[in-house]
Amino acid sequence: MARINKLLACAASLVLLQACTNDYDEFSFDGTGATGTGGSTGGSSGKDGGVGGSGGSSATGGNSGTGGVAGGGGTTGGTGGATGGTGGAVGGTGGVTGGTGGVTGGTGGTTGGTGGVTGGTGGTGGVTGGTGGTTGGTGGTTGGTGGATGGTGGVVGFENCLNDIDDNGDGLADCADPQCQAGYTCVTPAPTGWVGVGWVDPQANSACPAPFLPATKLYQVAQLVAPPATCTCGCQAPNGVSCPLSLACTAGAACTTSAATTLTQACTTVAVPAPGAQNSCSVAPPQPTGGSCQAQANALVTPPVWPASARGCLVADGGACTDTTKTCVPRLTGANGPCIARGGNQTCPAGSPYTSKTLYNTGGLNDTRGCSANGCSCGGVAGATCSCTGGNCGVSIHTQNSCGGSVLQNIPATGACTTFTDSGNGDTNWGAQRVGANPSGGTCPPSGTSSATGSATPTESITVCCAP
């Protein structure tokens, strides 16, 4: 109570301003205030600014203290305390109008105030800032500590790494964009006449991942398995086998003659033994004769086995690079490359980084494997038969020697004797027509040795040159 009375007394006398200031500093309360209310009006200006009081002990600020309306600055601002007080949890609200500064601003403390464990909410500034003194006060030797971490930035859009465009607007296109740097790389473009750029790896039966084109299977001659054919001699079906019919005719009914006419053509002229009288004829069962077989080689060719040894993964177009002499392409983890390719057996292009050559093939084959029959031969025909069409096999005797006119008699090819009477038309010749007796079947035994010929050779090679 005594202090309050003393303060009131000080307010009544400007002469005692210095003492009041010192005493007022003694009213720095420790502890947490509920809501500190600022003074109605700041203290009157001293004739000369008193010496600044020392900062109070670290008091926890109230929830929100309201500043005074406007304090008048002294002619000379007071000198700041040696050490600023510790900030409260929540900063107070600034006054409506800041006080007018003295002619010379007070000198700041040696060390700025230490922030609370958790910085308080910043106080609201006055509507109008106070007018500074002729010379501003000197700041503390050490400023307050800044915030720990700035806020998280906004999300950047997607970047297509192969289209020469800055898709997400960050000023960085394709390989220069951070989104492309992990999975893409800048490489030297393929020279004229070459294709690429791409990568080669042993995953021959796997598809290339996006954004690569479909995989190109690559083959190597060393992996081709195509053994020579297994050869044996053989013979084609018999050719030239015939089934001749032998017709024997005599006058009378006894078939006593042994003379016979061999019928090899469709119609044969035969003399009438007894014109206008009784005659007898017989036809022996047909027997195959003649013929031969053409030698041939029988080849057993196993299908070639040629597994792909690698795959090539290429892109249709590359993207932009900071180095405009290069192109941006995707990487392929674990693959060899980058690589370029060209059809045929080529030399890697001079002056390019693609100097490591591998000759592959596309998988096409010209397979000429077979066998030669030059060392083969065939024996005589065996096992052929003579068949009769519909069971009717023999000779038809016509009244005219051209096999025209009517059929006088059919003589079956059984060897039996057939008796008949000539027509008596005065013609001394008959026309004898074969019926049936066609050869079939038969084989020839092969002999000799057949040798293997030909090979399976790749039809198209492809040169792949990679950077070491």
Side-chain angles (χ1 to χ4, degrees), residues 246-337:
S246 296
L247 174 66
C249 293
T250 186
C255 292
T256 55
T257 182
S258 59
T261 302
T262 300
L263 308 180
T264 57
Q265 299 178 4
C267 185
T268 302
T269 298
V270 178
V272 178
Q278 190 179 54
N279 295 273
S280 59
C281 297
S282 64
V283 177
Q287 298 297 322
T289 185
S292 63
C293 297
Q294 177 68 41
Q296 67 178 17
N298 298 322
L300 176 62
V301 180
T302 58
V305 177
W306 199 9
S309 59
R311 68 171 177 178
C313 294
L314 306 176
V315 289
D317 295 296
C321 290
T322 303
D323 182 348
T324 57
T325 65
K326 295 190 176 183
T327 185
C328 182
V329 298
R331 298 177 187 271
L332 185 60
T333 302
N336 185 30

Side-chain angles (χ1 to χ4, degrees), residues 60 139 248 329 381 435:
T60 303
V329 298
V381 177
V435 177

Side-chain angles (χ1 to χ4, degrees), residues 157-328:
F158 172 75
E159 175 72 14
N160 181 336
C161 303
L162 297 173
N163 64 354
D164 293 331
I165 297 173
D166 176 17
D167 302 283
N168 56 16
D170 63 354
L172 302 170
D174 300 346
C175 265
D177 193 286
Q179 294 185 26
C180 304
Q181 290 174 1
Y184 292 77
T185 185
C186 285
V187 300
T188 301
T192 302
W194 293 76
V195 296
V197 176
W199 307 83
V200 175
D201 70 7
Q203 307 299 320
N205 296 316
S206 298
C208 292
F212 292 100
L213 297 173
T216 298
K217 288 190 174 184
L218 300 174
Y219 301 79
Q220 290 185 293
V221 175
Q223 305 297 322
L224 174 60
V225 179
T230 301
C231 302
T232 57
C233 288
C235 297
Q236 298 179 13
N239 183 39
V241 176
S242 63
C243 293
L245 293 174
S246 296
L247 174 66
C249 293
T250 186
C255 292
T256 55
T257 182
S258 59
T261 302
T262 300
L263 308 180
T264 57
Q265 299 178 4
C267 185
T268 302
T269 298
V270 178
V272 178
Q278 190 179 54
N279 295 273
S280 59
C281 297
S282 64
V283 177
Q287 298 297 322
T289 185
S292 63
C293 297
Q294 177 68 41
Q296 67 178 17
N298 298 322
L300 176 62
V301 180
T302 58
V305 177
W306 199 9
S309 59
R311 68 171 177 178
C313 294
L314 306 176
V315 289
D317 295 296
C321 290
T322 303
D323 182 348
T324 57
T325 65
K326 295 190 176 183
T327 185
C328 182

Side-chain angles (χ1 to χ4, degrees), residues 34-445:
T35 301
T37 304
S40 171
T41 304
S44 301
S45 303
K47 181 175 181 181
D48 293 310
V51 179
S54 299
S57 301
S58 301
T60 303
N63 290 338
S64 176
T66 305
V69 175
T75 304
T76 302
T79 303
T83 304
T86 303
V90 181
T93 304
V96 175
T97 305
T100 303
V103 176
T104 302
T107 303
T110 304
T111 305
T114 304
V117 176
T118 301
T121 304
T124 304
V127 175
T128 304
T131 303
T134 304
T135 303
T138 304
T141 304
T142 305
T145 303
T149 305
T152 303
V155 177
V156 179
F158 172 75
E159 175 72 14
N160 181 336
C161 303
L162 297 173
N163 64 354
D164 293 331
I165 297 173
D166 176 17
D167 302 283
N168 56 16
D170 63 354
L172 302 170
D174 300 346
C175 265
D177 193 286
Q179 294 185 26
C180 304
Q181 290 174 1
Y184 292 77
T185 185
C186 285
V187 300
T188 301
T192 302
W194 293 76
V195 296
V197 176
W199 307 83
V200 175
D201 70 7
Q203 307 299 320
N205 296 316
S206 298
C208 292
F212 292 100
L213 297 173
T216 298
K217 288 190 174 184
L218 300 174
Y219 301 79
Q220 290 185 293
V221 175
Q223 305 297 322
L224 174 60
V225 179
T230 301
C231 302
T232 57
C233 288
C235 297
Q236 298 179 13
N239 183 39
V241 176
S242 63
C243 293
L245 293 174
S246 296
L247 174 66
C249 293
T250 186
C255 292
T256 55
T257 182
S258 59
T261 302
T262 300
L263 308 180
T264 57
Q265 299 178 4
C267 185
T268 302
T269 298
V270 178
V272 178
Q278 190 179 54
N279 295 273
S280 59
C281 297
S282 64
V283 177
Q287 298 297 322
T289 185
S292 63
C293 297
Q294 177 68 41
Q296 67 178 17
N298 298 322
L300 176 62
V301 180
T302 58
V305 177
W306 199 9
S309 59
R311 68 171 177 178
C313 294
L314 306 176
V315 289
D317 295 296
C321 290
T322 303
D323 182 348
T324 57
T325 65
K326 295 190 176 183
T327 185
C328 182
V329 298
R331 298 177 187 271
L332 185 60
T333 302
N336 185 30
C339 305
I340 58 175
R342 187 172 184 176
N345 189 352
Q346 308 288 343
T347 300
C348 291
S352 80
Y354 307 110
T355 58
S356 179
K357 173 182 174 179
T358 304
L359 186 63
Y360 291 100
N361 296 93
T362 59
L365 286 176
N366 180 25
D367 194 349
T368 61
R369 292 175 296 162
C371 299
S372 171
N374 290 340
C376 300
S377 61
C378 296
V381 177
T385 60
C386 295
S387 61
C388 294
T389 303
N392 184 17
C393 186
V395 176
S396 294
I397 303 298
H398 290 257
T399 56
Q400 296 179 3
N401 60 11
S402 62
C403 294
S406 60
V407 175
L408 181 63
Q409 186 65 46
N410 286 321
I411 313 298
T414 61
C417 184
T418 300
T419 301
F420 59 95
T421 300
D422 180 46
S423 64
N425 62 357
D427 194 343
T428 58
N429 292 305
W430 292 324
Q433 183 179 15
R434 286 169 52 91
V435 177
N438 299 312
S440 64
T443 58
C444 299

